[in-house]
């Protein structure tokens, strides 16, 4: 308010928009003139323009009588340009450089925000400019002088050869026929500098008449700079809202709009991507991601997308490999392209990549040397194929990068059958092209067993165990009786040393062994190592001498895990246990078979408690995810704080931070600072959507 009072409005001026010279008014910017030249009515000799290019040439007179003009220099320039002869084609007929040519160039590509203003009788009249041209001296007369100099030198070197001698000279002529021009060659030619210069030279000059400042015609044209009607009806362009008026004065730059890509290419913008048709969206996503589960593809396409339409479109650009979609080779390597490494055409690259994809339909693993030997492609091309769809494992080969998508295979058996038929056709083509041997077509016995990494159900494992027991019943019975006699003393000591560890004695059909095969590729079959014959359980019982060792190893694993994690669901604990088994050497005691009940009992024996989190009724969590365990006492200063926090989550599924902080302050009887609260929350909770949850309980 104080600034407005110090700077009052002195005068209000009406603004009018003049449209009479619309798309006709240009602004010329002259260079700084030399002392021998004045921009007045006399100096403008001629003018011409090329309207399409907005190019202007002005010819202006030089005052040769000015004391600043160097006459000797002007005569020398005229002599170099025209020579000694003077005719109608001479540039300087007076044998003196008495004029100068100026050529224009565009000062700005977008002049829609510029206008010429005329102020008269308290009114401001604006006329939009159609172009702003900068005039610069043209030195084409020097090119003309050089051309004449070369002609004189050529004439002197030619000598005095007679006309007869010239007629006797016979020269060989080479006739060439031009090839048919391809579309790519035509585009390169059209965009070349030489072609653009030729196009510009083809436009004819339009000669103009120059009228001086005081000429009556100039006075008449100058009146068009004023608005012809002052009524509001004639100036509706200025009856705009403030935002519209600013948009008219400062429109968005055309150059910036042209820089934006029409469709996402190297960098995907999800906002631009979703403006495209569904088929184009899927093609761009698959081309960039290369390998994707169907669930992830649906998530990227946004809510409300019809899965049936997605299935129909994805089959056009991808093939099914182990339940996942892999982009087709001809999408990555279009026709008329070649390898950036070896220059091999796209057709050969597609065959080689199809062979790699087909190998992954047969097995989880592919050996790079085998692919190179069959396809005869360079190592860089083969490496590109494998890196796009697999991960290198030391001393093992290349493993397909995604796990087998069993859910998709079960939900869409018709799609799976159709894709299998497609792969049969591709296999037939590959056999003809590469002359594949029987060893390439038939997986090895060991590979065939791991070709489909499906999760074996509990019932199947029980049946397999029963069959194994029946088959080896006699041998197992002898071994058991022998071990029972030798370990009789060990049995009694084990019962007194480990009273809290209960050996699994329930019937096999009641309690399933824990899944310990998921994600393991070290020779484990459902958690049991094949080379471990002496440690196999007999009808669910472990040999007596192994009980204490198994209990100690299991307790050490559970204790160390909960000291790091504090809160774990049973599902997450089993996953970590599987990873722990994968790191153990073959023959370790933990490979003897650990059931879910044994693992849960050991968790409770190590000082952990089960937290009964009140999950929402509509939760989709599995039973193992609903079982949450937490370390009750870790032996540090934050035990009481964590216990209060766990009590909160035994009554609430999710809690806000301020509620947790207030409850901690009340129960612990002290004001906790932010760092202490963050420490407790970091140990036990995760934040999602502004709310706090126990670890592993977030249901997105």
């Amino acid at each position: 308010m104080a600034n407005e009072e110090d700077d009052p409005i002195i005068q209000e001026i009406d603004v009018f928009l003049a449209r009479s010279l619309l798309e006709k008014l240009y602004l010329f910017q002259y260079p700084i003139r030399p002392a021998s030249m004045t921009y007045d009515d006399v100096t403008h000799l001629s003018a011409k323009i090329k309207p399409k290019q907005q190019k202007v040439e002005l010819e202006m007179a030089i005052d040769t009588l000015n004391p600043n003009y160097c006459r000797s220099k002007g005569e020398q320039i005229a002599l170099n340009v025209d020579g000694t002869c003077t005719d109608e084609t001479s540039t300087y007929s007076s044998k003196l450089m008495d004029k100068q040519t100026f050529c224009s160039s565009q000062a700005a590509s977008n002049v829609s925000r510029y206008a010429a203003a005329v102020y008269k009788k308290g009114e401001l009249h604006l006329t939009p400019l159609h172009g702003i041209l900068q005039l610069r001296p043209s030195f084409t007369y020097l090119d003309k002088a050089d051309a004449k100099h070369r002609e004189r030198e050529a004439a002197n070197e030619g000598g005095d050869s007679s006309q007869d001698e010239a007629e006797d000279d016979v020269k060989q002529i080479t006739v060439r026929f031009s090839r048919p021009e391809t579309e790519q060659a035509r585009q390169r030619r059209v965009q070349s500098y030489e072609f653009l210069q030729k196009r510009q030279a083809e436009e004819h000059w339009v000669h103009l008449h120059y009228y001086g400042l005081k000429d009556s015609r100039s006075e008449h044209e100058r009146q068009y700079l004023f608005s012809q009607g002052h009524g509001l009806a004639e100036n509706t362009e200025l009856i705009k809202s403030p935002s519209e008026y600013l948009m008219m004065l400062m429109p968005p730059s055309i150059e910036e709009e042209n820089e934006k890509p029409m469709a996402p290419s190297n960098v995907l913008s999800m906002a631009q991507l979703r403006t495209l048709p569904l088929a184009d969206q899927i093609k761009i996503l698959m081309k960039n991601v290369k390998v994707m589960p169907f669930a992830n593809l649906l998530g990227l396409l946004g809510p409300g997308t019809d899965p049936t339409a997605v299935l129909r479109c994805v089959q056009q650009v991808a093939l099914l490999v182990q339940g996942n979609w892999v982009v087709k080779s001809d999408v990555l390597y279009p026709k008329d392209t070649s390898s950036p490494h070896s220059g091999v055409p796209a057709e050969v690259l597609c065959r080689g990549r199809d062979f790699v994809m087909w190998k992954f339909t047969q097995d989880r693993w592919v050996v790079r040397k085998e692919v190179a030997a069959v396809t005869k492609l360079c190592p860089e091309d083969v490496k590109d194929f494998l890196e796009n769809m697999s991960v290198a494992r030391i001393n093992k080969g290349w493993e397909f990068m995604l796990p087998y998508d069993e859910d998709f295979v079960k939900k869409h058996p018709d799609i799976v059958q159709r894709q299998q038929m497609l792969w049969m056709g591709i296999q037939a083509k590959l056999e003809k092209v590469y002359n594949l041997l029987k060893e390439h077509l038939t997986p090895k016995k060991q590979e065939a067993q791991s070709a489909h990494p499906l999760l074996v159900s509990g019932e199947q494992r029980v049946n397999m165990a029963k069959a194994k027991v029946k088959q080896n019943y006699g041998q197992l019975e002898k071994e058991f009786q022998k071990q029972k006699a030798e370990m009789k003393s060990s049995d009694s000591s084990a019962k007194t040393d480990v009273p809290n560890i209960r050996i699994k004695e329930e019937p096999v059909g009641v309690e399933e062994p824990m899944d310990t095969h998921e994600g393991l590729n070290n020779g484990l079959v459902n958690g049991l190592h094949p080379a471990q014959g002496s440690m196999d359980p007999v009808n669910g019982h472990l040999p007596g001498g192994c009980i204490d060792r198994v209990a100690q190893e299991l307790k050490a694993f559970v204790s160390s895990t909960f000291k790091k994690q504090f809160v774990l669901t049973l599902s997450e604990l089993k996953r970590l246990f599987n990873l722990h088994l994968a790191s153990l050497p073959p023959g370790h005691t933990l490979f003897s078979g650990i059931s879910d009940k044994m693992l849960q009992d050991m968790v409770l024996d190590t000082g952990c408690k089960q937290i009964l989190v009140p999950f929402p009724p509509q939760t989709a969590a599995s039973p193992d995810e609903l079982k949450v365990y937490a370390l009750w006492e870790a032996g540090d200063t934050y035990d009481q704080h964590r216990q209060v926090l766990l009590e909160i989550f035994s009554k609430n599924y999710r809690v806000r931070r301020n509620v947790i902080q207030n409850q901690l302050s009340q129960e612990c009887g002290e004001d906790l600072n932010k760092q202490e609260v963050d420490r407790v929350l970091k140990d036990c909770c995760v934040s999602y959507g502004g709310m706090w949850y126990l670890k592993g309980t977030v249901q997105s």
Side-chain angles (χ1 to χ4, degrees), residues 99-110:
K99 56 186 177 180
Q100 173 72 56
T101 302
F102 290 86
C103 187
S104 70
S105 62
Q106 292 187 13
S109 59
N110 182 16

Side-chain angles (χ1 to χ4, degrees), residues 521-593:
N521 291 300
N522 60 349
L524 301 180
V525 181
N526 295 330
L528 303 178
H529 200 281
Q532 194 176 342
S534 61
M535 300 301 296
D536 285 346
V538 182
N539 295 330
H541 296 270
L542 292 172
C546 303
I547 297 175
D548 53 349
R549 285 181 292 170
V550 173
Q552 291 174 3
E553 292 288 343
L554 187 60
K555 186 174 183 179
F557 163 75
V558 172
S559 299
S560 62
T561 302
F562 272 94
K563 286 182 180 179
K564 297 177 183 178
Q565 304 288 344
F566 289 99
V567 177
L568 287 170
T569 63
L570 180 59
S571 175
E572 180 66 12
L573 181 61
K574 290 165 64 174
R575 188 186 70 84
L576 295 175
F577 186 64
N578 286 333
L579 295 177
H580 179 64
L581 287 179
S583 64
L584 297 177
H588 196 274
T589 56
L590 286 181
F591 287 121
S592 57

Side-chain angles (χ1 to χ4, degrees), residues 269-322:
S269 169
M270 296 305 296
Q272 293 178 342
L273 183 67
R274 290 177 180 174
T275 62
L276 302 176
L278 181 61
D280 293 340
Q281 293 184 45
I282 295 174
K283 182 177 180 180
I284 292 173
L285 286 172
M286 291 304 306
K287 190 174 181 180
N288 281 270
V289 183
K290 312 271 188 323
V291 183
M292 197 184 322
F294 184 71
N296 291 11
L297 179 60
L298 277 180
L300 290 174
L301 294 174
T305 306
D306 183 14
T308 306
V310 176
L311 277 174
R312 186 166 52 251
C313 295
V314 74
Q315 294 181 73
Q316 300 175 5
V317 296
L319 292 170
L320 195 66
V321 178
Q322 300 194 21

Side-chain angles (χ1 to χ4, degrees), residues 195-460:
F195 181 81
L196 295 177
Q197 290 292 101
K198 183 179 178 182
R199 287 286 301 272
Q200 292 178 2
E202 289 177 354
E203 186 178 358
H204 297 290
W205 288 101
V206 178
H207 291 273
L208 306 175
H209 297 283
Y210 177 81
Y211 295 96
L213 181 64
K214 299 180 180 180
D215 191 276
S216 59
R217 181 64 183 269
S218 297
E219 290 287 347
H220 177 73
E221 293 291 334
R222 199 176 298 121
Q223 295 302 316
Y224 289 119
L225 294 175
F226 298 96
S227 178
Q228 301 302 314
H230 294 349
L232 294 178
E234 290 81 3
N235 290 275
T236 55
E237 290 81 358
L238 299 182
I239 307 176
K240 303 288 185 182
S241 64
S243 59
E244 292 175 337
Y245 182 62
L246 288 175
M247 184 62 68
M248 291 174 61
L249 291 179
M250 299 290 291
S253 176
I254 299 177
E255 296 176 358
E256 295 177 359
E257 294 177 358
N258 292 337
E259 291 176 359
K260 296 179 181 178
M262 295 301 294
S265 53
N266 56 339
V267 178
L268 282 177
S269 169
M270 296 305 296
Q272 293 178 342
L273 183 67
R274 290 177 180 174
T275 62
L276 302 176
L278 181 61
D280 293 340
Q281 293 184 45
I282 295 174
K283 182 177 180 180
I284 292 173
L285 286 172
M286 291 304 306
K287 190 174 181 180
N288 281 270
V289 183
K290 312 271 188 323
V291 183
M292 197 184 322
F294 184 71
N296 291 11
L297 179 60
L298 277 180
L300 290 174
L301 294 174
T305 306
D306 183 14
T308 306
V310 176
L311 277 174
R312 186 166 52 251
C313 295
V314 74
Q315 294 181 73
Q316 300 175 5
V317 296
L319 292 170
L320 195 66
V321 178
Q322 300 194 21
N324 302 280
W325 291 101
V326 182
V327 65
K328 288 184 177 180
S329 301
D330 54 2
V331 175
L332 284 182
Y333 304 106
K335 192 177 181 181
D336 299 330
T337 60
S338 59
S339 167
H341 304 294
S342 59
V344 173
E347 184 180 358
V348 180
L349 292 176
C350 290
R351 285 201 302 263
R353 188 173 180 274
D354 287 345
F355 176 74
V356 175
M357 294 169 63
W358 172 75
K359 289 291 290 182
F360 276 121
T361 63
Q362 307 296 311
D363 195 0
R364 289 282 301 174
W365 300 86
V366 167
V367 180
R368 180 175 171 180
K369 291 183 179 179
E370 180 185 349
V371 175
V374 173
T375 60
K376 303 296 189 296
L377 292 173
C378 72
E380 290 79 8
D381 289 332
V382 176
K383 186 178 180 181
D384 283 349
F385 299 159
L386 294 172
E387 286 181 341
N388 288 337
M389 66 183 80
S390 57
V391 180
R393 304 295 185 191
I394 300 176
N395 298 328
K396 291 186 178 181
W398 293 77
E399 183 187 13
F400 193 70
M401 63 170 53
L402 295 179
Y404 190 87
D405 194 347
E406 185 180 8
D407 292 339
F408 180 83
V409 173
K410 289 182 178 179
K411 291 180 181 179
H412 306 282
D414 54 334
I415 301 294
V416 175
Q417 184 180 5
R418 190 180 303 119
Q419 290 291 312
Q420 288 176 350
M421 295 176 64
L422 288 175
W423 278 117
M424 291 174 62
I426 294 175
Q427 177 181 342
K429 293 180 181 178
L430 294 175
E431 290 178 14
K432 294 180 180 178
V433 174
Y434 293 127
N435 297 323
L436 298 180
L437 302 176
K438 186 176 181 180
E439 60 183 10
H440 295 140
L441 300 175
T442 306
K444 297 179 182 179
K445 184 177 180 181
Q446 181 180 358
E447 296 174 348
Q449 295 176 355
S450 60
H452 301 285
L454 294 173
L455 298 178
V456 183
S457 65
E459 183 179 355
Q460 291 175 330

Side-chain angles (χ1 to χ4, degrees), residues 51-166:
K52 293 182 180 179
Q53 304 176 31
Q54 293 189 1
K55 186 176 181 180
V56 174
E57 279 193 7
L58 298 179
E59 195 174 79
M60 306 182 69
I62 299 177
D63 185 7
T64 57
L65 301 178
N66 192 291
N68 295 308
Y69 181 79
C70 182
R71 191 174 185 85
S72 61
K73 200 71 173 178
E75 291 176 350
Q76 182 63 42
I77 293 175
L79 179 63
N80 293 339
V81 173
D82 298 327
T84 56
C85 300
T86 58
D87 51 21
E88 295 180 354
T89 61
S90 299
T91 303
Y92 304 111
S93 58
S94 62
K95 296 185 179 182
L96 193 67
M97 184 180 176
D98 54 358
K99 56 186 177 180
Q100 173 72 56
T101 302
F102 290 86
C103 187
S104 70
S105 62
Q106 292 187 13
S109 59
N110 182 16
V111 296
S112 59
R113 63 187 66 184
Y114 298 99
V118 180
Y119 181 74
K120 182 179 180 182
K121 296 180 181 181
E123 297 176 350
L124 186 65
H125 297 261
L126 302 177
T127 303
L129 292 177
H130 189 57
I132 301 177
L133 305 179
Q134 290 181 345
L135 297 174
R136 294 184 175 88
S138 175
F139 300 99
T140 54
Y141 60 88
L142 296 178
D143 298 335
K144 189 175 181 180
D146 291 341
K148 288 200 172 185
H149 178 69
R150 286 193 294 269
E151 289 178 1
R152 286 194 293 268
E153 287 184 349
N156 294 333
E157 291 177 358
D160 299 330
S161 59
S162 64
Q163 183 178 359
D164 295 337
E165 292 176 351

